Amino acid sequence: MLRILSILFFISNLLFSSETIAVSYFDNTSDIKEFNPLSKGLADMLITDLSNQDKFHIVEREKLEKLIREIELGDSGFIDKNTAQELGKGLGATYMLTGSFLIIDETMRIDARLIDVGSGEIIMAEEITGEKNAFFELEKELVNKLINQFDIGLSRTQSRKINKVQTKSFDSFSTYSSALVELDDGNLEKSIILLEKATEFDEDFDKAWEKLENLEHRIADLLK
């Protein structure tokens, strides 16, 4: 019995001593409002990919959304270094990944910063540029730069999951991002309609199907 308790205590220490990374919404600097939802879509994809490793705990997007609403950052549309540090502390994060994206014609650029929440120091800054319709490659490149930054050893399974492309369709990704906005605003039916549209653009978009199924179950439970 004592041996079992010792093992459980050791495991719990590992779990609670794990460092945490939070991913904030990336600011849209394109001055085109139709791209605003991509802030949430990009964060959602980064969180999904980064969760497929076991060195760091990754904060769920829903927790970030809740905190942003509590400190009334939703309408500001800009997260600077100090704000990112404040968010990171509120989420109990060791590091905060933040930044911006710019879309001009068919070109997309992602500027990312990784901030040490305790000191406020920027420990990684990356600029990734490519074609808008190859946004998935830019996102994967950013994820892999983070993996390399912390020298995270990945198993074959973890590596495959991280490098799995959710969708290559910009229209599907954009529609999925809009669905997240409606979901966060409590518009479940609108979110479902948009998720269905996202799967029409790309029927292999597993993340959209998963979110759609969860929402349908949620509405069914509410109706009960």
Side-chain angles (χ1 to χ4, degrees):
M1 183 67 178
L2 287 174
R3 186 177 180 182
I4 293 174
L5 288 174
S6 297
I7 292 172
L8 290 174
F9 179 74
F10 175 73
I11 292 174
S12 66
N13 277 342
L14 284 178
L15 291 173
F16 287 103
S17 63
S18 175
E19 293 185 309
T20 300
I21 296 177
V23 180
S24 76
Y25 298 142
F26 279 46
D27 296 312
N28 173 22
T29 57
S30 307
D31 291 329
I32 302 175
K33 288 185 177 180
E34 68 181 86
F35 293 143
N36 284 345
L38 301 184
S39 298
K40 294 189 175 184
L42 180 57
D44 188 77
M45 284 196 164
L46 288 166
I47 290 169
T48 297
D49 285 344
L50 290 171
S51 295
N52 289 308
Q53 50 76 43
D54 48 22
K55 181 174 181 178
F56 290 96
H57 171 69
I58 307 299
V59 177
E60 296 174 351
R61 192 190 68 83
E62 290 75 11
K63 291 182 179 179
L64 170 69
E65 176 67 24
K66 182 179 179 182
L67 181 59
I68 284 178
R69 288 177 182 267
E70 285 178 356
I71 60 179
E72 299 179 346
L73 280 176
D75 296 328
S76 66
F78 182 73
I79 299 178
D80 59 18
K81 189 183 79 168
N82 293 332
T83 304
Q85 192 177 7
E86 180 184 352
L87 279 173
K89 289 178 179 178
L91 293 167
T94 316
Y95 303 100
M96 192 80 183
L97 178 65
T98 186
S100 61
F101 67 89
L102 174 69
I103 298 176
I104 300 177
D105 296 326
E106 297 304 312
T107 301
M108 182 174 187
R109 188 184 78 200
I110 299 176
D111 294 295
R113 302 183 303 277
L114 185 67
I115 298 171
D116 184 310
V117 173
S119 65
E121 179 186 0
I122 297 175
I123 61 174
M124 187 187 86
E126 295 288 345
E127 178 185 307
I128 303 170
T129 304
E131 294 182 9
K132 181 188 74 174
N133 289 330
F135 68 93
F136 57 93
E137 294 179 357
L138 308 184
E139 187 266 342
K140 295 298 181 187
E141 185 177 344
L142 177 54
V143 169
N144 283 305
K145 285 183 181 295
L146 281 165
I147 297 295
N148 293 332
Q149 172 72 29
F150 292 109
D151 194 23
I152 299 174
L154 300 174
S155 67
R156 289 182 181 179
T157 300
Q158 289 173 329
S159 182
R160 286 183 63 189
K161 287 181 177 179
I162 284 176
N163 289 298
K164 174 181 170 59
V165 174
Q166 284 290 332
T167 180
K168 293 184 178 182
S169 167
F170 184 81
D171 289 333
S172 186
F173 170 57
S174 180
T175 306
Y176 175 80
S177 301
S178 296
L180 294 180
V181 173
E182 295 297 342
L183 176 61
D184 290 339
D185 288 341
N187 302 321
L188 303 189
E189 292 184 356
K190 286 185 179 180
S191 183
I192 284 178
I193 291 171
L194 288 167
L195 287 170
E196 289 175 338
K197 188 176 179 181
T199 59
E200 289 173 6
F201 281 124
D202 181 2
E203 62 180 13
D204 295 322
F205 193 175
D206 291 341
K207 185 74 174 174
W209 283 112
E210 179 185 329
K211 187 76 71 177
L212 178 59
E213 185 176 355
N214 289 338
L215 266 181
E216 288 174 340
H217 286 313
R218 185 172 166 186
I219 287 182
D221 289 339
L222 287 172
L223 291 175
K224 288 179 182 178

